Amino acid sequence: MRIISKHTLSAILWTIVLSACDSGDIVEKQEIEVGGLTCTLTADFLNTATWPVDYPIVIAAFDEGEYPLISKGISKPALGDSITLTMAGIPEKAKEVSIALLNKSRKRITAFHTIKIDEDQRKNNFITGGHVTVDLLSYNRIQNQFFSNCTNCHGASERAAAGLFLTEGKSYNALVGVTSAKDDDYLLVNPGMAEQSYIVHVLEGKTDKVHYDHTNVSFNSESEDIALLKSWINNLK
């Protein structure tokens, strides 16, 4: 057996200690603080069959713009389930918190529910949103996700192709229960009957009475937006 001297043993122990310090095994404890506001609310979602695939639904904080300062995705809930949403770290400059639909560039398309942040909430660093109901087939969503894509021709310049205004505040009255100027056998939007609505015929190329081919304007019969439009029409009364 080899006998190690006291001096050699001492040198070995110091080498081990110094190596541990150099490798980072001995570290000073650090505490990380998370600032900002926290928001919590409970939501019931209606018409979840129209939960989007191409667009995220989020809880998000906004200032004056339409791009979120911070956002958190919401997963599709089981039918009839309430879900509790909590988001922390909301920046002090945020003006509101929304349950919102974003497009692919993360811009807010529509807000299903919005909470304005007041001074009391800022002082408490906590925003209570309560219990809310979110209808995924709200007309606001249809306007902003669907009809807003049509307004370059239908009303943005205060003129509308075929006299049909699809701008916000005008599209509903211009479509629902209104007889088509191109085919008086059909209503433009026939409540509860999407397949009997002339707007669907036009978008799916099922009529030859319009001069412009509307099947090539980023819509097709298989698209999420067309399916959303049909669901909205079928749910109208």
Side-chain angles (χ1 to χ4, degrees):
M1 183 190 329
R2 183 181 177 186
I3 300 174
I4 302 175
S5 69
K6 291 182 178 180
H7 293 294
T8 303
L9 180 60
S10 178
I12 293 172
L13 291 174
W14 273 111
T15 300
I16 293 172
V17 171
L18 292 173
S19 297
C21 292
D22 290 341
S23 68
D25 291 339
I26 300 176
V27 296
E28 185 176 340
K29 184 179 179 181
Q30 296 181 350
E31 293 185 3
I32 300 173
E33 293 186 2
V34 177
L37 309 172
T38 296
C39 178
T40 184
L41 72 158
T42 301
D44 295 326
F45 286 87
L46 305 180
N47 295 304
T48 54
T50 64
W51 196 274
V53 175
D54 294 336
Y55 310 93
I57 294 179
V58 300
I59 178 172
F62 297 85
D63 51 15
E64 292 84 1
E66 294 301 318
Y67 290 91
L69 301 171
I70 183 174
S71 66
K72 183 178 180 181
I74 301 173
S75 298
K76 181 180 178 180
L79 185 64
D81 280 0
S82 297
I83 59 174
T84 298
L85 306 171
T86 301
M87 184 170 64
I90 299 170
E92 289 294 332
K93 65 179 180 178
K95 305 291 185 183
E96 61 188 34
V97 175
S98 288
I99 297 177
L101 180 71
L102 306 182
N103 65 16
K104 293 179 181 179
S105 65
R106 307 297 294 177
K107 182 178 181 180
R108 178 167 53 180
I109 298 175
T110 194
F112 294 110
H113 180 75
T114 297
I115 307 163
K116 297 293 183 182
I117 303 173
D118 60 34
E119 290 307 312
D120 287 338
Q121 292 168 336
R122 292 188 191 282
K123 290 177 183 177
N124 295 325
N125 290 326
F126 193 78
I127 304 163
T128 301
H131 197 142
V132 302
T133 299
V134 174
D135 186 358
L136 297 182
L137 276 181
S138 67
Y139 178 68
N140 190 42
R141 177 187 178 187
I142 308 304
Q143 177 64 46
N144 292 316
Q145 182 176 331
F146 192 92
F147 293 134
S148 63
N149 296 310
C150 310
T151 56
N152 283 342
C153 294
H154 290 280
S157 62
E158 298 185 358
R159 298 181 63 183
L164 178 60
F165 283 87
L166 296 179
T167 47
E168 186 173 359
K170 294 183 178 181
S171 56
Y172 189 97
N173 290 334
L175 290 169
V176 179
V178 177
T179 301
S180 168
K182 297 291 184 179
D183 189 337
D184 58 15
D185 287 335
Y186 292 94
L187 300 178
L188 290 172
V189 167
N190 192 340
M193 303 179 69
E195 298 302 334
Q196 297 299 315
S197 297
Y198 197 68
I199 189 173
V200 173
H201 292 190
V202 171
L203 292 170
E204 294 185 339
K206 296 178 179 178
T207 177
D208 57 4
K209 295 184 179 182
V210 292
H211 299 296
Y212 184 76
D213 181 5
H214 287 71
T215 63
N216 62 1
V217 290
S218 300
F219 305 120
N220 60 75
S221 60
E222 303 301 321
S223 77
E224 182 174 317
D225 290 344
I226 286 287
L228 175 66
L229 178 68
K230 288 182 176 181
S231 293
W232 174 68
I233 294 173
N234 284 332
N235 277 271
L236 286 173
K237 297 179 181 180

